[in-house]
Structures are given as structure tokens and as C-alpha cells.
Amino acid sequence: MMTERPRLTPAMADVRRAIRENLSDLTPDAVVLVALSGGPDSLALAAGLAFEAPRAGLLAGAVIVDHGLQEGSDVVANNAAEQARALGLDPVVIRRVKVVAASGPEADARSARYEALQTVASELSAVAVLLGHTLDDQAETVLLGLTRGSGATSLAGMSEVNGIYRRPLLGIRRAETVAACEDQGLSVWNDPHNHDSSYTRVRIRNEVMPVLENQLGPGVAEALARTAEQLKQDAEVLDALVAEIMPTVMIPVLGESGPPLRATLETSVLEGLAPALLNRVIRRSALDVFGVSLSAVHTNSIARLVSDWHGQGELHVPGIRVERQGAQLVLTASSSTPTEA
């Protein structure tokens, strides 16, 4: 463990306060893990957790996921583990994963990472896994959603608490996590992927955001993060309304215990819904029944079978075939290529 306590600085205090507030609902002896990459955000988070956990009676450990995508990734993982142990975190687990090509490099790595985090959390009976996303990450997420024409749910950004996953640093700027690491003498690993302009998020971070700050003045990141919070509040209300509507619009499928998966929606109810609710009902049906997250384009295509019905034929969206059958909207599992109606 680290024997010399560093002088408390504003950056360290801000990180610790954010963690303390985020974990205030947990009971003593609960196991909390930090997802540690060795970068400044997760390392500052790990140091803050190591300080706050004993004072709250919590048991704090770390999990390092080695994706094996870069040469020397095992060295990076071992170095991160050594720092975690020096901070006093225990247990410290390195989990090596195989990234399977499916949806793209970023998405595939993320899927493998979260699967590993979930597995380790289950093995250690952890009630929370802390992620090092900062206010800057939140702002980039909102801006990325805007460029893709995403709906309000996507623009609401990342949640501070989502199941076992917690993001205490969503109100902390990236510059503060860097400063917190420097103030504590922590050795930071800088991921080369964070400078690879082939990734859209990297271009937003390194090229777009600086231009916005330069042209519009400071505070752009904070404004985007505030927008995410406001949209999150709106989305929570709309999602609660949709939860009440779903039993009235979804027609149960009786006598079928296996595939093909099918969802049948009553159009007489759908036609009376405001577009914001109609689109959410469609997205909720696709996600709950088929495990498919529909884009805004595909959602709007399906909605037109309700709001602009003039006898058009079936359409295909990823994993689902959709058709209007009289007073019913029928969604059936399909592997067909998406086409527009």
C-alpha cells in the first residue's frame, strides 16, 4: 500500500466527493469494484475509491480487462494492477478477453469488456462496478448522438447509475482527473486509440470540441452535459407513460412457446398516441421482444404504418419484419436485409 499520504488538492477533493455521494446509498461491507484501464480517468477513480471505501465501510477492489488488441496489453494490465494494489484495493483481478468481430472494433471491444466486468462482479458478489466516464465523455456522447440524429433517449447520454454500473465522475472534467493523478504521483497510461482519428469519438474529442470551445467560448462541454440531464428527466417521464401504455397496446401471443418471435400491436390504440409515445412504444416492443435497438429511421418507417397508412406493404428493419394486417401491426423475427417502405 501507499505509505505517504499526498497533500489534498482541489482535484483530489472533487473526485473523492463525487465518489462519496455516488456510493452513499450502499450498506457497509458491500463489495465495490472499479473498472481500471490505467488511464487518468479510471486511475483517479481508483485512487478516490481506495480513499473513500474504508471510511464508508465498503470493500473495494479493481478489475482490469485486457482486450489483447494492442502489443504489450498484458504489460499495461499488470502495471494497472500493481498501482491498484499499491492504492490498497483488494481484490485486484485481471481478466483477459477475446474480442469477437461482429459490429465493429469499438462495439465489439465494449461488448467483451462489459461481459467480463459482469462476470467478475458476479464472482465477487459485487454490488457496484464504477466506470470512469467524465463530463467530457458525456458531452461527447451527446454531440455524437446529435450527429447521428438520435432521439431524446440517446441524447440523454449515460446514466450515473445503471444496474450495477455507476459513473461517479459524470460531473468531473477530464482535466481534473489528470490533475488528480499528477497530484498523487500516479503513473498514467495513455491509450493510443484515444489519438486514432479513424474513430468518430476521437475526432469529436480532439478536433470538434476544441473548435466549439474556441468559437463559442468556454462552457460548451458543461452545456452539453446539462442538456443530457434535462433530456434524461424528460425521457424518464415518457418511459413511465410507455410502461403504462404497453399492456393496452400489446396483444398477447397465445399457444406459441418458441420462435418465430412475434409482437402484435393494436393500431386503434397506437393511432391515438402522440409521436413521442408512438415511437417509444415501437422501440420498446422491438427491444423487449426481439432484443433489437431500432434507429430513428427504422422507428419512423414503422410508425408510418400507423400514422400514414395507405395500404403499403411489409418492410424490414434489422432482425424484424413488419406489416400492417387490418387493425394490427405485426412484428415478426426476421434475418432479412433492412429496406424502407
Side-chain angles (χ1 to χ4, degrees):
M1 295 179 60
M2 299 181 69
T3 56
E4 184 177 344
R5 178 178 296 179
R7 178 180 59 86
L8 182 64
T9 65
M12 292 166 57
D14 286 344
V15 169
R16 290 177 181 179
R17 185 183 308 111
I19 294 171
R20 183 165 61 250
E21 292 174 354
N22 183 271
L23 302 182
S24 62
D25 63 315
L26 300 183
T27 57
D29 294 327
V31 178
V32 180
L33 301 174
V34 57
L36 179 60
S37 68
D41 301 336
S42 66
L43 196 54
L45 183 61
L49 177 63
F51 181 86
E52 291 294 335
R55 289 156 178 78
L58 303 173
L59 305 176
V63 54
I64 298 105
V65 179
D66 179 5
H67 300 82
L69 297 176
Q70 302 178 41
E71 184 177 352
S73 64
D74 57 333
V75 175
V76 172
N78 288 330
N79 288 341
E82 287 180 10
Q83 293 206 81
R85 295 188 186 99
L87 288 167
L89 296 176
D90 181 46
V92 175
V93 178
I94 297 177
R95 188 56 52 90
R96 293 179 171 82
V97 299
K98 181 178 181 180
V99 178
V100 179
S103 304
E106 288 180 283
D108 297 337
R110 183 168 55 249
S111 295
R113 178 167 61 255
Y114 276 94
E115 183 177 350
L117 293 175
Q118 185 71 52
T119 300
V120 174
S122 297
E123 293 172 353
L124 298 177
S125 300
V127 300
V129 177
L130 307 191
L131 306 176
H133 298 112
T134 65
L135 185 147
D136 295 80
D137 293 307
Q138 185 76 300
E140 292 159 10
T141 298
V142 174
L143 199 54
L144 188 61
L146 286 170
T147 65
R148 293 173 173 172
S150 300
T153 300
S154 294
L155 295 180
M158 296 174 285
S159 299
E160 186 173 343
V161 178
N162 184 13
I164 67 168
Y165 298 108
R166 296 178 178 233
R167 299 177 175 89
L169 305 184
L170 285 183
I172 302 292
R173 293 298 304 263
R174 185 174 293 128
E176 286 191 272
T177 66
V178 172
C181 289
E182 292 177 349
D183 295 339
Q184 296 170 89
L186 300 174
S187 179
V188 170
W189 172 67
N190 291 301
D191 187 350
H193 284 166
N194 289 335
H195 303 282
D196 186 348
S197 60
S198 65
Y199 296 107
T200 303
R201 182 178 286 273
V202 172
R203 294 196 298 274
I204 287 178
R205 175 179 302 174
N206 296 336
E207 300 174 27
V208 177
M209 286 298 296
V211 169
L212 291 177
E213 294 276 359
N214 181 58
Q215 295 298 317
L216 302 179
V220 172
E222 287 85 352
L224 288 169
R226 287 196 302 273
T227 298
E229 180 58 30
Q230 292 164 5
L231 287 170
K232 179 176 179 292
Q233 294 172 5
D234 293 344
E236 288 175 349
V237 173
L238 289 170
D239 288 342
L241 291 174
V242 168
E244 296 178 1
I245 292 169
M246 290 302 294
T248 69
V249 70
M250 183 80 76
I251 301 174
V253 178
L254 302 176
E256 292 188 11
S257 58
L261 292 175
R262 188 173 70 190
T264 304
L265 308 179
E266 187 64 65
T267 58
S268 62
V269 179
L270 295 175
E271 288 168 349
L273 298 179
L277 293 174
L278 172 60
N279 289 337
R280 276 177 164 77
V281 167
I282 292 171
R283 286 198 294 269
R284 175 77 173 268
S285 301
L287 187 60
D288 288 355
V289 179
F290 306 97
V292 172
S293 181
L294 294 176
S295 69
V297 171
H298 293 136
T299 302
N300 291 333
S301 296
I302 296 174
R304 283 195 291 272
L305 294 180
V306 176
S307 60
D308 187 27
W309 171 245
H310 50 269
Q312 59 264 49
E314 68 181 38
L315 62 89
H316 294 266
V317 297
I320 308 173
R321 176 171 61 85
V322 188
E323 61 180 330
R324 174 79 176 256
Q325 297 178 0
Q328 297 178 349
L329 192 66
V330 180
L331 290 72
T332 309
S334 170
S335 58
S336 302
T337 302
T339 59
E340 294 299 331

